[in-house]
Amino acid sequence: MKLENYLLEEFNIDKELLKITKKAEKDIESIFKNIDEVYEYNQLKVLKAMQENKLSDIHFASTTGYGYNDLGRDVLEKIYADIFHAESALVRPQIISGTHALTVALFGNLKYGDELISPVGTPYDTLLGVIGVNETKGSLIENGVKYKQVELLEDGSFDYENIKKSITEKTKMVTIQRSKGYSTRPSFLLKDIKNLIDFIKSIKSDVICMVDNCYGEFVDIIEPTDVGADLVVGSLIKNPGGGLAPVGGYIVGKEEYVENAAFRLTAPGLGKEVGPTLGITPSLIQGLFLAPQVVASSLKGAVFAARLLELLGFNTIPKYNEERSDIVQAILMKNEQNIIAFCKGIQLGAPVDSFVSPTPWDMPGYDCKVIMAAGAFIQGASIELSADAPIKPPYAVYMQGGLTWAHAKNGIIIAVNDMIKNGSIKL
Ligand SMILES: *Cc1c(COP(=O)(O)O)cnc(C)c1O
């Protein structure tokens, strides 16, 4: 067929590999049906929030300077709050990244003497600096916040006994990371997060339960706020920006806690009232509208990659047919050489910078060399097809994103094809 010839002739895809991709596609058909159902549900949820808030042309106007009376910014925040069934939302281009959003939420709500607990083991690498586990100037610990961490049990489940022991009257906040991040534990399903939050609240009802929702938005038909989270935080250059948001982060949840975060982001007393949108509101809103579809494309890419690489003899987390809570697919690559080969291949299949070759480097915030393949329209946007890996055992590469299913699929095929060509994979 024409498509096959095009791949063979224009992209030099190995004929044998094409056969295996066909098998992988067949194996995953029923999973795609579920993904499409969630996508459609979330599309309607986003649509309804836009309609109920009477989104209109006027909201696409830009503000500058202080950004007083920015109608578009205010309606976007109301739409986010509705989608998350939350009291309030802070959605801003002045939030630079997921790490920044989490920082604002933490510093806004924690004071000298308060305790913060991570009941789910080590948080995401960049948070180690924010908290001060890795000694950093300006960290929470330097500011007098006490930090405790309860490791997960051997089987990846919560250590309820030690979580209970770690909670004291000083415990102000817990931070729960939904996605595995750069670790090989499973990502938590929302029903697991519900159990954890219920347990923590049963011990101390006023603990602020914050969920780091990076990579989790729109993977399910509910969000962490629907299972009791007081604050939910994420990045707009991941799922909810739909690939169009050029920058930004969000914090949604209880009004008081979101306001505390807003006072930290801008200034005490000013909070949400200021913050110009500088013309990017249309991208944030349209990106949100597209996000359910983009997340579905990314999930399909993750499932396809898992199945294809399983058929080629690699271990994957999660397995292609396991229930998912985020868009991240980890593939255990066995060695450094394979990691580099896979990332080079993903870059080779990108729309932007396909002609450059990524190499491992000392990225700020990480404790070892990291390689990143990201031929993205928006710098660092990992809702676009991308792969990154810390160069250390167990040599897991973390792949995520895909603005369209056709690109996610074929980007992965190009990457694997490149590994075959350079001898990393033998068919
Ligand atoms: C990406 C990510 C972060 C940090 O986000 P940045 O935008 O890279 O700063 C935090 N937590 C998790 C789970 C993430 O995936």
Side-chain angles (χ1 to χ4, degrees), residues 383-394:
I383 189 60
E384 302 185 43
L385 183 63
S386 50
D388 14 56
I391 307 289
K392 62 183 177 188

Side-chain angles (χ1 to χ4, degrees), residues 217-219 239 290-300 327 383:
E217 300 88 354
F218 301 128
V219 170
N239 304 15
L290 293 179
Q293 187 197 29
V294 173
V295 169
S297 298
S298 301
L299 279 169
K300 288 178 180 178
I327 62 166
I383 189 60

